[in-house]
Amino acid sequence: MQGRFISFEGTEGVGKTTAIEQLCARLEAHGIDYLRTREPGGSPFAEQLRAILLDPDTKINDNTELLLMFAARCDHLQQVILPALQRGKWVICDRFTDSTIAYQGFGRAHGDEEVRAKIDSLIGQFVTQLPELTLWLDLPVLEGMARAGKRSAADRFEQQAAAFFTRVHKGFSVLAGEQPERIQRIDASGSADEVSVRVWQTVATRFHLS
Ligand code: Z5A
């Protein structure tokens, strides 16, 4: 049996971690075997790259950042995601390639076309997999930043200004417009329980669960 591959996306602090926890609890209640993972990271080597990528002291240029995101993804995909799918597990992933287009493309302001061209020409042969369903948690940027700001010290991405996250948000909006079947927008406002119900309704409808 082939498993299902679901990703969560959104700007900072929108509530992905919280929504994923609640989705996993519901999958468990339905007897569904799942693997919860995240990007960058998810495999031992990719977690090492994650530590570098998020470290506020890391000084790298935008191309290096793009390549490291995909180096991490390539390892994660081969070591963790594909084997789990082949064993019939559902893979629930906190971020995937849409984040790269939104953050490294729209956010870093190269222009997303330039980043997409690099992905196609340099990386496409190594990472072709996309999730079957992507849940884009959509929340006004400042609300997400306020939610995230209630936590600990900022990492290298969280140090960015609101203008950066506004461009990233536009990136997710453009991607959702381009691929409406795969990328489902979820209203991330309201309580965590309300968001969780919206997420579940979307997943249950797509995969015919009661
Ligand atoms: N990145 C990239 O640039 N390119 C790529 O290709 C990839 C990633 C894959 C990973 O950081 C960074 O890497 C990310 C993009 C970049 N940087 N940013 N920004 P991460 O994984 O550590 O961080 P994150 O993905 O942004 O997640 P987050 O900040 O941890 O937020 P979240 O998971 O979406 O939210 P949360 O932890 O569930 O909730 C945030 C807070 O709000 C928390 O205190 C909750 O208790 C609270 N919360 C949650 N839901 C609600 C509701 N509904 N109401 C009120 N409060 C809530």
Side-chain angles (χ1 to χ4, degrees):
M1 183 190 144
Q2 181 73 19
R4 305 285 194 195
F5 183 15
I6 301 174
S7 65
F8 279 72
E9 295 286 2
T11 45
E12 190 198 3
V14 291
K16 291 178 286 82
T17 308
T18 309
I20 287 171
E21 268 164 24
Q22 300 205 14
L23 172 62
C24 288
R26 285 190 159 96
L27 292 178
E28 214 163 300
H30 278 72
I32 292 171
D33 192 12
Y34 68 88
L35 172 86
R36 178 180 168 180
T37 187
R38 67 175 181 181
E39 291 219 337
S43 64
F45 178 67
E47 287 290 330
Q48 288 182 302
L49 291 181
R50 177 188 175 91
I52 293 168
L53 281 160
L54 268 53
D55 183 347
D57 291 333
T58 295
K59 306 284 180 251
I60 48 175
N61 69 30
D62 294 349
N63 284 328
T64 309
E65 180 178 279
L66 175 69
L67 291 168
L68 287 180
M69 286 293 175
F70 270 97
R73 180 161 303 129
C74 191
D75 191 69
H76 183 209
L77 196 57
Q78 295 303 324
Q79 302 294 330
V80 175
I81 296 178
L82 293 177
L85 290 172
Q86 278 154 12
R87 289 198 303 275
K89 280 180 186 278
W90 288 39
V91 174
I92 312 300
C93 192
D94 192 339
R95 301 191 179 281
F96 203 68
T97 298
D98 298 310
S99 273
T100 316
I101 296 171
Y103 279 79
Q104 279 64 54
F106 285 82
R108 294 293 187 209
H110 298 155
D112 67 302
E113 291 309 330
E114 193 184 324
V115 162
R116 288 191 212 219
K118 284 177 186 161
I119 293 172
D120 287 346
S121 65
L122 298 173
I123 295 161
Q125 57 187 312
F126 301 112
V127 180
T128 52
Q129 188 91 23
L130 279 178
E132 199 174 340
L133 174 65
T134 294
L135 300 158
W136 167 38
L137 300 198
D138 184 13
L139 189 72
V141 164
L142 293 179
E143 278 184 51
M145 290 179 83
R147 284 183 187 176
K150 288 181 190 155
R151 292 175 316 188
S152 55
D155 66 33
R156 206 168 60 83
F157 289 95
E158 289 165 353
Q159 289 179 336
Q160 296 293 322
F164 173 85
F165 289 108
T166 301
R167 292 194 297 275
V168 172
H169 181 273
K170 182 180 174 206
F172 287 123
S173 170
V174 167
L175 287 167
E178 288 173 355
Q179 301 174 67
E181 182 62 21
R182 176 173 69 84
I183 304 178
Q184 298 283 307
R185 176 187 171 277
I186 304 285
D187 175 5
S189 62
S191 71
D193 286 346
E194 286 168 331
V195 176
S196 166
V197 168
R198 292 177 202 131
V199 165
W200 179 246
Q201 282 168 345
T202 304
V203 171
T205 303
R206 174 62 62 95
F207 298 114
H208 312 292
L209 301 169
S210 53

